[in-house]
Amino acid sequence: MRKVSIFGATGSIGQNTIDLIARAPDHYDVVALTGGANIAQLAADARQLHADVAVTAYEDRLSDLCDALEGSGVEAAAGAQALTEAATRPADWVMSAIVGAAGLAPGIEALKQGATLALANKETLVCAGALVLDTAKTHGARLLPVDSEHSAVFQALVGEDMSAVERIIITASGGAFRDWPVSDLAKATVEQASSHPNWDMGQRITIDSASMFNKALEVIETKEFFGLDPQRIEVLVHPESIVHALVGFRDGAVMAHMGAPDMRHAIGYALHWPHRQRLPVERLDLAAIGQLNFQKPDLARYPALRLAWDVMERGGLSGAVFNAAKERALDHFIARRIGFLDMADCVAMVLDRFDAELCLIDAPLTLDNVQQTDHLARQWADDAVHKRAG
Ligand code: NDP
């Protein structure tokens, strides 16, 4: 039996992971399941999978969780510290699917235990790439990508030598506003930004897809995961979301990874790696699809995407600044305090302020520094929003 833990079990990735694990209950011994506000789902899954412990991120929800787990034999815990402690429990395979920077500390802790970390939480590598990779190396742990683009690249690289890779191209659906006139984007509403043409995901990542902040994070994640020069990373808008990524080699060959847009493929690949197991995902019917389209992204439509290269150029803690400012700008957009396009402007203002007031490049990449930077970048994002609103 493989010991598995799922961080962010109640979310979209977490539920898809549970779907796969619940199909083969005799193969898995579930150690920890974690969630946030959705106590009913967390408790139901912990009961069904006979988890050792269920953890909610919110301390004030502990009594609700205890009530929901009464008589189940599942231990209950709450709070950020409890999340990190849950990651110290021995597990062979850990899914990192908490949303946002909160996923970083439990992920690092799991790596310290030598677990295989299936990484859906893209913020982990964006905020602390070198630290995370060093931790994995030091503790003999393995990182496996779960983001569909990075899983696609990882699969296209099997048996290949990185020195033969010329470029990596990740695709983007273009999100909810792909076909809108650019002049209308400033007025786009939260509801409009929350509907994705192809993927069924949580609200925050869906809005981040419409703005391409999500793609910007993925570009940075690509650089960190595969150690590629930023100038060799490209993005293509591909409305059908069938080709997830392409790898170009020095002999001119390009390997493309295709599949139906279903996260259970990338999750299942990471779960069964290095083997391929039968997965309950739709089989591609290319004749029915007929044609696949690709376009260069229009940076006037997606100003957030350009920021990815600024961040990679700045290096150091700027990934943590970028992510925190982006999360806060998104909060303000969802609360209707700023417009859709203001998000990218606010994040750019925070990055510039860090450049002007602090030396990001030289600060060592430690968990403490990442967390302090995250905190400060959120405050400065609030300042930027107030400046804009004023
Ligand atoms: P969801 O919003 O659906 O789920 C997020 C999970 O994190 C939930 O379990 C939520 O709990 C929990 N959570 C929320 N806030 C906190 C917190 N402060 N501390 C601890 N746990 C918290 O997100 P997704 O599943 O869509 O995405 C998860 C991660 O995977 C993100 O980093 C995303 O970018 C990445 N990803 C997602 C993809 C997708 O298809 N959804 C594709 C590729 C990557 P609760 O719901 O109970 O409040």
Side-chain angles (χ1 to χ4, degrees):
M1 294 254 278
R2 281 176 86 197
K3 283 179 173 289
V4 300
S5 288
I6 304 171
F7 286 77
T10 51
S12 164
I13 294 285
Q15 290 293 295
N16 277 311
T17 309
I18 287 174
D19 176 77
L20 294 178
I21 283 175
R23 288 166 191 262
D26 298 344
H27 290 75
Y28 302 105
D29 175 5
V30 177
V31 179
L33 294 183
T34 86
N38 194 347
I39 302 294
Q41 187 70 54
L42 178 61
D45 292 332
R47 281 176 183 274
Q48 186 201 352
L49 297 175
H50 306 290
D52 295 346
V53 62
V55 187
T56 163
Y58 306 117
E59 281 177 32
D60 59 353
R61 301 300 305 276
L62 180 59
S63 62
D64 294 340
L65 184 59
C66 289
D67 290 350
L69 288 171
E70 202 180 338
S72 66
V74 180
E75 217 178 297
Q81 187 61 33
L83 279 178
T84 310
E85 275 166 22
T88 65
R89 297 192 180 215
D92 304 305
W93 188 89
V94 175
M95 167 55 76
S96 164
I98 289 175
V99 66
L104 177 60
I108 287 185
E109 204 51 59
L111 289 173
K112 283 187 183 165
Q113 311 307 315
T116 291
L117 189 67
L119 200 59
N121 176 279
K122 54 196 83 183
E123 297 84 355
T124 296
L125 284 180
V126 170
C127 297
L131 172 66
V132 171
L133 296 172
D134 282 356
T135 306
K137 199 170 171 191
T138 306
H139 297 275
R142 182 171 283 280
L143 271 176
L144 293 173
V146 171
D147 230 336
S148 58
E149 296 76 3
H150 306 83
S151 174
V153 172
F154 190 79
Q155 294 180 51
L157 285 172
V158 169
E160 302 289 353
D161 185 343
M162 266 316 281
S163 64
V165 173
E166 225 167 44
R167 60 189 176 139
I168 289 178
I169 304 164
I170 60 173
T171 60
S173 69
F177 305 137
R178 185 180 58 218
D179 302 320
W180 277 38
V182 175
S183 54
D184 288 356
L185 290 180
K187 293 197 198 80
T189 65
V190 174
E191 290 70 26
Q192 288 164 332
S194 303
S195 106
H196 197 282
N198 305 337
W199 294 90
D200 180 16
M201 308 184 288
Q203 185 196 34
R204 296 179 72 85
I205 187 172
T206 302
I207 300 176
D208 281 349
S209 294
S211 62
M212 281 225 197
F213 266 116
N214 182 52
K215 207 48 56 181
L217 294 178
E218 289 175 7
V219 166
I220 301 168
E221 193 184 2
T222 301
K223 176 205 165 248
E224 298 296 341
F225 203 107
F226 300 104
L228 206 69
D229 180 308
Q231 299 313 321
R232 292 168 179 242
I233 304 170
E234 298 170 27
V235 173
L236 275 182
V237 175
H238 168 46
E240 294 84 7
S241 297
I242 297 295
V243 176
H244 304 307
L246 308 96
V247 179
F249 294 93
R250 64 179 166 211
D251 60 357
V254 175
M255 301 286 283
H257 177 282
M258 293 193 241
D262 183 335
M263 283 310 296
R264 288 176 304 176
H265 172 74
I267 296 167
Y269 185 79
L271 183 61
H272 300 301
W273 182 90
H275 308 290
R276 285 192 188 271
Q277 299 288 353
R278 179 164 285 278
L279 291 174
V281 299
E282 189 191 320
R283 273 37 180 174
L284 264 193
D285 180 349
L286 285 174
I289 294 164
Q291 80 183 45
L292 300 174
N293 294 283
F294 301 92
Q295 301 146 24
K296 266 187 186 290
D298 169 4
L299 293 183
R301 182 182 298 281
Y302 304 114
L305 187 57
R306 187 196 341 236
L307 293 175
W309 278 268
D310 291 352
V311 167
M312 292 186 287
E313 210 169 282
R314 290 173 209 227
L317 287 158
S318 52
V321 174
F322 177 69
N323 179 62
K326 186 245 6 146
E327 285 192 16
R328 211 57 200 123
L330 179 58
D331 291 341
H332 288 294
F333 173 65
I334 291 173
R336 290 156 224 273
R337 287 187 210 104
I338 54 173
F340 182 70
L341 289 178
D342 293 332
M343 289 191 285
D345 285 350
C346 288
V347 173
M349 282 165 76
V350 177
L351 282 165
D352 288 346
R353 186 168 169 191
F354 263 87
D355 260 0
E357 297 192 23
L358 299 164
C359 184
L360 280 175
I361 312 293
D362 294 339
L365 199 57
T366 62
L367 186 55
D368 266 2
N369 281 347
V370 169
Q371 285 170 338
Q372 280 177 30
T373 302
D374 178 283
H375 188 68
L376 189 57
R378 282 169 202 267
Q379 286 177 359
W380 286 4
D382 290 350
D383 292 352
V385 165
H386 292 137
K387 231 181 235 166
R388 238 187 144 69

